[in-house]
Structure formats: C-alpha cells, structure tokens
Amino acid sequence: MNPMVLATLGSMATIGRVLGLILFSIVSGWLLAYASVKSRSFENIYIPLIEVLESVPVFSFFPIVLLFFVIDIGGPLGVELAADFLVFTAVVWNIWMGAYQAFKTVPSEMLEVAENYKMGLIARLKNVYIPFSIPRIATNLLPSFSDGMFYITVSEVFSIGVHTYQTFGIGAVITDFMNEGNYYLVGTSLLILGIFTTVIVFLLREYSNYAVAKYGLDSNLPVSRRGRIRFGNSARLINTLSNAKRLSIYANKIPYRSVKDDDEYYKEDKGRKWLSYVGAVIGFALLSVIIYDAFSIITSVSASTWSYLFSQVPSILVGLGYDYLRVTFITVLAFLLSITAGYYLAIRNTLDRIFIPLIQAFSAFPAPAYFPFLFGFLYGYMSVLGPFKDEFFIILLGFISTFYYVFFSFWMGVKALPSEYWEVMQNYNMSYWTKMRKIILPGTMPYLVAGISSTVNSAWGGLAIGEYWPKIYNNYNLVATHGIMAIIDNATATGNLALASWASFIFGIIVVVYSLLFTRNLMELARKKYIAEEGIYAA
C-alpha cells in the first residue's frame, strides 16, 4: 500500500479509537460521579482508586492485565481490545475526575430547584447534573485527547515478554517506519497526523466555547457603568434576577407536579435513598476484589523474595522523593504558565483564537513520537548544564506531556467566570495581582483543583518514559540516577517483575494518601467556598 495512504488511514484509525473511548468515558463518568455523590462509601473507594490508576503509568503494570486479552481472547480481536484498554486507561481518568468534581460542586440552589420540582433520577441527571458538568467535561476533552495520542506508541504496539503485538493505527505505522530506518516516511506520517490532530483540536475547541456559552451559569443582564457598583442596590437586584433567570434554564422543561403526585414523589425519594446502599455494595465489592488479589499475591511470594523486597524499600522511597520533587517542579511551571499566558490569552479574543489552537494542537501531538528529534537538536546546547543535562530532558518531557491539564483548566475557568465578576473588576479598576488574588484564583478554584490534580497524576507518565529511554538518539541512553519510575522501568526491562510490582505497590499507597489528604480536601474546600457560579446568587 502507498505509504501516504497507509499513514492517512492509520491516523484516522487512531483518532477514531481515541474519540470513541472518550465518548464511552463521558457516559460512564456521569453514572459513576452520580453514584459517588449519593454514596459516601462508594466515593471513599472510587476516588482513591482512580487517583491510583491515573497516576501509575499505563505501561508499568498493564502488560500483566493484557495477558487476559492477548492469551485468553487471542487473535486480532484480543490485540485490538488490549490496545483499546490501554487507550481507555489513558483518556478516562481526568474525564471521570472532572465529572465527579462537577457533580460534587453543583450549587445548592440548583439542587433545591430539583427538589422543588420533585425530579427523579433521570430528570436530575438530564436537567441538573449533566448540564452543569458539561463545561468541566469540555475542559477535559482536549487533555484526554492529548493523553490518548501521547500513549499511541505504547498502546498500538506493546510487548509481553519476548513477543511484540500491534494493531492498526498511526502508532504502529510510525513504529514500522522507524524500524525500517525510513525517517522521511516517519516525518511525513507525523505531518499527516499533525493535520488530523489540528482539525480535531479546532472542533473540540469550538465545542468547548459552545459548552461554556450554553451551559455556564452566567447572566446577560447589563450592569450600569456609571461610576462604581453600589452593592446595596444594583448588585442585589442583578443577583436576584440572575438567580431566577439562570435557574429557570435548567427547570423550564420540567412539568409541574401537583399535590396529587406526592405519593409518587415519596417513592422516587425512597428509591434515591437506595442508591446510597447500591453504591456502598459496589464499593465494598471492589474493595473485596482488591483485598483478595493482594492476599493471593502475598501468599504466593517466597520468604527470601520478601526479604529482598523489604531491603529495597529505602531506595524506593528515596526515588519516590526525587520524583515528587520533579512533579512539583513541573506543576509549578505549568501553574505559572497558566496564570500568566493562560490568563492573558483568555481575555484577549484575537490572540486567543490564534495561539490557543496552536497550543492545543501541540499538546495533542504525541510527544514520544517527536521527542527524540527534539533531544537531538537540543543535546549540544545543553552541555552547559553538566551533570544536570539528563535531568533537564526528563523535566522537559514531563512538562510538555502534562502542562496542558492545568493550563486549559485555568483558561476554561477564566472563560467561564460569570460576567458579573468582570463587571466588578472593571468598575473597581483592579490591578492584575488584585484580580488574581481576590477574583480569578478563587473563582477558578474548582477548575484549578481538577487541573492540578490531573497534572500531578499524569506527570508520572512522562517521567516513566524520560527516566529510562535506551538509545533515545544515536545510541544515547537517557536514564535517571534516582527515581521510582526509573526503578520500575529498569526492573521491568531486566525481568525483575517482583521488584517492579513491589515499587508500584508502594507508589500506589502513597498516591492513595495523597488523594485523601490533598485532592479530596481541596475539592471539599472548592465545593464549600470557591464556586464562582454561586456568587451570582448572593444578595
């Protein structure tokens, strides 16, 4: 087949695979998020679990899981399902987290409307929870698409033991061209893929703007510009009218129920209470499966192996500390980029329409596919860093593979701020730092929490590739001296699956603690104090 046609079909297959799995992630995320807000027991298991699964790099532990698809199912179908599973694990977590974060922060006034109209489960999802979640999910569409594209080289082509399996897609096509040493076709394939990703990014961007415009809680009522706002009069009137107007958008299609429907309402309310019990049962079942699998693994390992693994704990913890420093540095860089360039682009429509698509297209382009060329170009210039040269490239790969989470979350949060807040900032002639400290950062806190959480959890994927990359360019090995990802990668490459699994297990425990102490608490704080949409209801 003509290489150009092959690259075109491969790009279409890969993008179709990623978009289809994103759609499935959205639908399943709505159901799981609703179960989480209705059942504390399910939430306590569900949130730490997705934190762990989002943080642990796809290829560090999923080859074991893929044995089910490749060996038990087998054939082309098994390989395709294995690739789909890997892509799904790359795109799903931040969508699920975004849906949960949106459901968790639905303003209480909207929930009161749902109660007053005696909405059932379907009506609540259709008219309250899902519409409110659409801007948050739209924020995560581009990062999910970017993550799916980031992992194509390890999802469409993967190895189990000495065997290599692949399914049709641009990742497999590029890998074949790389193995043939035909870098011209590699570059051409990347160009074709870039055209497709740019088109998809443009469509997703337009949908994000549409989602914020249609589903964001805002008011079109004008605010008087004659002097400063008088909060005792104009603000109270505007907030009251805004409350009635915006809530009606979510309720105007719900038929009114008379008193004669009370018996049916109580039945629905009783049914909703059962949801908490169902969620608790599901959560307990998941926990039981995890405990049973852990017990089976523990009892199958010999005492000498356990002694060796425990002796490696200090080096694993030191590596984990090094990697958390890298993740913190990457997150701080992404945050600083967001509150400067992200804010500036969000308020400048002309520049926004030029540079945001470029940044989105760049973030959607798979970094592992072009990073060796970038490494080769920068390698000579980075000799001034001396022993920190490899560290620079590890941080660079981690940054370009994850900065867009907090960047686009903050950017979308700024775009979604109700117009009343912009009126306040304009009338009070606030400086940049005053706006940021008093309005922008508090108003975008729910978006920032989701973006920072996803940035922290997803940075590990870039570190896992960057900390152990043999022969990245001209037989040069990019290997980190310290790092838990380097330990896992080295152990996997040398066949020491016991050490790799043990390091992943310790890593998972730390992630659970981080989830409970950081993500959950910040989301609770965002829900209670920093929902910008609720500010328009204050009188």
Side-chain angles (χ1 to χ4, degrees), residues 234-422:
S234 61
R236 182 181 296 112
L237 174 62
I238 289 171
N239 289 328
T240 303
L241 294 176
S242 176
N243 179 17
K245 180 179 179 181
R246 299 306 296 177
L247 285 177
S248 66
I249 292 178
Y250 294 95
N252 60 6
K253 295 184 180 180
I254 305 299
Y256 174 74
R257 294 190 180 189
S258 64
V259 178
K260 292 185 290 186
D261 295 323
D262 281 348
D263 291 339
E264 184 65 25
Y265 167 70
Y266 289 128
K267 291 179 182 179
E268 292 176 354
D269 186 62
K270 184 177 180 181
R272 287 195 295 269
K273 290 180 179 179
W274 276 102
L275 288 174
S276 62
Y277 297 107
V278 173
V281 170
I282 295 174
F284 179 77
L286 290 173
L287 182 61
S288 299
V289 170
I290 294 172
I291 293 175
Y292 174 78
D293 289 341
F295 177 78
S296 300
I297 294 173
I298 291 172
T299 55
S300 64
V301 177
S302 65
S304 60
T305 302
W306 277 119
S307 177
Y308 162 73
L309 294 178
F310 277 110
S311 68
Q312 298 299 311
V313 170
S315 62
I316 291 174
L317 294 178
V318 169
L320 185 61
Y322 272 91
D323 275 351
Y324 261 113
L325 288 177
R326 293 185 179 106
V327 170
T328 301
F329 188 71
I330 290 169
T331 304
V332 170
L333 285 179
F335 176 76
L336 293 177
L337 179 67
S338 301
I339 65 173
T340 52
Y343 170 75
Y344 188 79
L345 292 177
I347 63 174
R348 299 288 194 278
N349 289 332
T350 301
L351 296 178
D352 178 273
R353 298 190 68 86
I354 295 174
F355 287 100
I356 289 296
L358 295 177
I359 298 173
Q360 290 168 336
F362 171 77
S363 63
F365 206 72
Y370 66 80
F371 192 76
F373 300 100
L374 181 62
F375 178 90
F377 176 76
L378 295 176
Y379 181 78
Y381 298 100
M382 293 301 107
S383 58
V384 295
L385 297 177
F388 299 101
K389 179 170 55 178
D390 285 358
E391 194 65 39
F392 167 80
F393 286 108
I394 293 171
I395 295 294
L396 178 61
L397 180 58
F399 177 78
I400 63 178
S401 65
T402 194
F403 79 93
Y404 45 81
Y405 279 106
V406 64
F407 182 88
F408 288 126
S409 292
F410 178 79
W411 171 76
M412 185 62 71
V414 173
K415 303 279 283 187
L417 276 176
S419 60
E420 288 83 358
Y421 288 89
W422 296 104

Side-chain angles (χ1 to χ4, degrees), residues 453-464:
S453 177
S454 295
T455 297
V456 171
N457 293 331
S458 299
W460 301 99
L463 294 182

Side-chain angles (χ1 to χ4, degrees), residues 134 137-138 141 202-212 215:
I134 286 178
I137 290 176
L141 287 179
F202 173 78
L203 295 176
L204 292 178
R205 179 179 182 275
E206 292 302 311
Y207 176 75
S208 296
N209 292 335
Y210 166 79
V212 171
Y215 296 104

Side-chain angles (χ1 to χ4, degrees), residues 12 19 110 156 226 325 369 374 376 393 404 418 448 513 539:
M12 295 173 62
L19 293 179
M110 295 180 65
E156 295 178 347
R226 291 178 294 179
L325 288 177
L374 181 62
F393 286 108
Y404 45 81
L448 280 172
V513 175

